[in-house]
Amino acid sequence: KQGGSIFVTRPENSGNGTPGPDFWSWTPPSSNDQISDEVDGLQAARQTSEYPISSNPVLEKERSVGFLSIPFESKAYETNRNLPPFQSLLGVDKTKASEVDVEEISLKEERDLEVEFSAHAAEAADALHKAKELSSQGVNQDGTRWWIETGIEQRPDGVICRWTMIRGVSADQAVEWQEKYWEASDEFDYKELGSEKSGRDVFGNVWSEKWRESMLQDSGLVHLEKTADKWGKNANGEEWQEKWWEHYDASGKSEKWADKWCSIDPNTPLEAGHAHVWHERWGEQYDGYGGSVKYTDKWAERCEGDGWSKWGDKWDEHFDTNGRGVKQGETWWQGKHGDQWNRTWGEEHNGSGWVHKYGKSSSGEHWDTHVEQETWYERFPHYGFYHCFDNSVQLREVKKPSEMSEE
């Protein structure tokens, strides 16, 4: 129950989709129709507070952009007007990155992601708590107009979703944006917390940022899942996206992956070794008993007038609970006229204290040796179920529908 009304719908995007109305089909009310409302709204906004959500409502993109720099509604973007390093437009180096370098980069990105997850969860919980205390619309002192909607949806699986949404337009009508927050639960053990922030401006920039975390019980085990999806595009054809997915259960099993890419206009002049299209994927799985699988794959594409050159580097490792397994990788290159080169390598670890190393390349290299060497691999995740459970404070506090109705 929100403001005396109850909204119950079964939208087409129900399930784990985003609840509430779609931003991209929304058109702000005409300013001429809102003159009297603006006066009242401005007065109300000044008496209470500025834009009701704690984050900065609009971060406008500068007109002159050297490379892809899409505005976000997130707090992290307030202190960093450029994309984080792993979203850069630098191409993939042709030389094979060491496993140690890849591991350090992945660990840093994962730590940064967990910090962002915690911040988004706290922001969503705060927005949902304040929604019932706010007026339906208002005008900030800078002329930004905003509107708030709330609703309740029932999903086919019996989950009840409560959401609040803030839409806004800048005073010069150059930027339109939306921030949506929701929590969902059923009468059993399912809980969900999420947010989505979208925007567009008159310069042709569009962007979207989604975060979601959930928990449930299955066969007596608690499961936790986290997802993130960031995307942006501008009028110059520059575009990027990154997705994250994590799943943990109380038995110790866990799986994580990330998929990132970006592209720029193929006609953009670049320095040697840089690319017009860039990709990166990595993932890891742990069985909870000491067995694990890890992989990473990076590749790039460069337009060279009448064709494309491509290059990349990848490796993976598979180990069982006894420490026996294989590590393998490949570095490759393909020219615009079909000429190719690659180098592959592998390591067999059988727990004997000796490692079988082998490899070859298309240019005639070849090696096959046995060396005395200790086997090292990551048997258990450095960030596992109990770390995730302890950090999911707001998610664990989501109430059942019957508890919500008692408020």
Side-chain angles (χ1 to χ4, degrees):
K1 189 171 182 180
Q2 302 288 339
S5 301
I6 295 178
F7 305 84
V8 180
T9 61
R10 289 179 173 82
E12 294 181 1
N13 64 345
S14 61
N16 288 333
T18 303
D22 175 58
F23 168 71
W24 306 108
S25 58
W26 171 66
T27 301
S30 171
S31 58
N32 294 331
D33 298 334
Q34 299 291 324
I35 294 177
S36 59
D37 292 336
E38 283 185 4
V39 174
D40 297 337
L42 178 58
Q43 187 67 25
R46 285 175 175 170
Q47 289 176 353
T48 56
S49 64
E50 282 291 303
Y51 175 70
I53 302 302
S54 56
S55 64
N56 190 350
V58 176
L59 293 173
E60 296 190 29
K61 171 180 171 293
E62 297 178 1
R63 292 172 182 259
S64 176
V65 180
F67 66 94
L68 183 58
S69 181
I70 300 296
F72 261 149
E73 300 291 328
S74 65
K75 296 178 180 178
Y77 196 78
E78 295 177 26
T79 56
N80 183 7
R81 286 294 178 130
N82 293 325
L83 298 176
F86 55 85
Q87 296 165 345
S88 70
L89 297 177
L90 297 179
V92 179
D93 191 355
K94 293 183 180 180
T95 60
K96 184 177 76 70
S98 70
E99 296 177 46
V100 175
D101 291 340
V102 173
E103 189 77 20
E104 289 178 351
I105 293 172
S106 298
L107 289 175
K108 182 182 184 304
E109 291 180 9
E110 191 171 4
R111 284 193 296 267
D112 292 344
L113 185 71
E114 292 307 322
V115 171
E116 287 199 64
F117 263 117
S118 297
H120 279 270
E123 185 180 17
D126 183 60
L128 290 163
H129 175 71
K130 290 181 177 179
K132 53 189 175 184
E133 304 173 0
L134 300 170
S135 58
S136 61
Q137 63 182 16
V139 183
N140 289 344
Q141 292 185 6
D142 63 1
T144 299
R145 294 187 295 147
W146 51 266
W147 301 264
I148 293 181
E149 293 184 35
T150 59
I152 300 175
E153 295 179 0
Q154 181 175 343
R155 298 175 182 172
D157 57 3
V159 172
I160 302 298
C161 180
R162 182 166 65 102
W163 54 268
T164 185
M165 178 182 68
I166 304 95
R167 286 171 166 170
V169 59
S170 60
D172 59 2
Q173 301 184 32
V175 180
E176 298 172 359
W177 47 268
Q178 173 179 289
E179 298 186 357
K180 187 184 296 182
Y181 308 90
W182 69 89
E183 62 180 9
S185 62
D186 61 17
E187 289 300 331
F188 301 97
D189 302 295
Y190 183 78
K191 296 184 178 184
E192 178 183 324
L193 196 62
S195 67
E196 178 188 57
K197 302 179 182 182
S198 307
R200 58 196 172 207
D201 65 24
V202 296
F203 307 112
N205 299 304
V206 289
W207 61 93
S208 176
E209 180 178 3
K210 302 176 184 179
W211 300 78
R212 187 180 70 87
E213 53 184 313
S214 62
M215 65 184 300
L216 57 84
Q217 281 198 37
D218 183 27
S219 302
L221 290 176
V222 176
H223 293 252
L224 293 164
E225 183 175 288
K226 295 187 176 185
T227 64
D229 187 348
K230 298 182 180 182
W231 168 81
K233 185 177 182 180
N234 66 20
N236 298 326
E238 300 170 330
E239 184 176 4
W240 64 267
Q241 184 177 29
E242 63 178 64
K243 296 182 178 182
W244 293 75
W245 182 85
E246 302 179 2
H247 186 98
Y248 311 85
D249 72 33
S251 73
K253 290 183 180 179
S254 70
E255 182 176 356
K256 311 172 188 181
W257 59 258
D259 189 350
K260 312 171 190 178
W261 64 272
C262 64
S263 65
I264 61 175
D265 186 337
N267 299 313
T268 304
L270 297 176
E271 298 179 4
H274 290 201
H276 293 98
V277 183
W278 175 85
H279 312 257
E280 180 181 358
R281 293 175 179 169
W282 68 264
E284 53 189 36
Q285 301 174 26
Y286 301 90
D287 64 10
Y289 300 98
S292 67
V293 175
K294 302 184 73 172
Y295 65 88
T296 185
D297 189 359
K298 297 189 291 185
W299 72 99
E301 304 171 48
R302 177 187 176 99
C303 181
E304 298 183 350
D306 56 345
W308 288 75
S309 62
K310 304 176 182 180
W311 62 92
D313 181 87
K314 59 184 177 181
W315 64 266
D316 60 82
E317 61 179 45
H318 301 249
F319 282 90
D320 63 20
T321 57
N322 299 314
R324 296 184 175 91
V326 175
K327 295 183 179 183
Q328 56 192 1
E330 179 184 16
T331 301
W332 59 274
W333 173 84
Q334 179 180 318
K336 64 178 181 178
H337 299 303
D339 43 332
Q340 301 181 32
W341 174 89
N342 80 318
R343 176 190 290 123
T344 59
W345 59 270
E347 297 180 357
E348 292 182 350
H349 299 254
N350 59 15
S352 65
W354 289 79
V355 177
H356 178 203
K357 296 188 176 185
Y358 53 89
K360 62 181 180 179
S361 74
S362 57
S363 56
E365 295 174 290
H366 181 271
W367 65 95
D368 192 331
T369 62
H370 289 77
V371 297
E372 190 173 7
Q373 179 180 311
E374 292 292 332
T375 294
W376 183 91
Y377 75 101
E378 196 169 8
R379 296 170 56 85
F380 300 98
H382 59 275
Y383 186 93
F385 172 82
Y386 290 102
H387 297 95
C388 184
F389 185 85
D390 290 341
N391 286 343
S392 302
V393 178
Q394 288 81 11
L395 176 63
R396 289 187 280 118
E397 292 178 348
V398 171
K399 298 180 179 180
K400 296 179 180 180
S402 58
E403 296 172 334
M404 290 182 185
S405 62
E406 296 173 358
E407 295 181 349

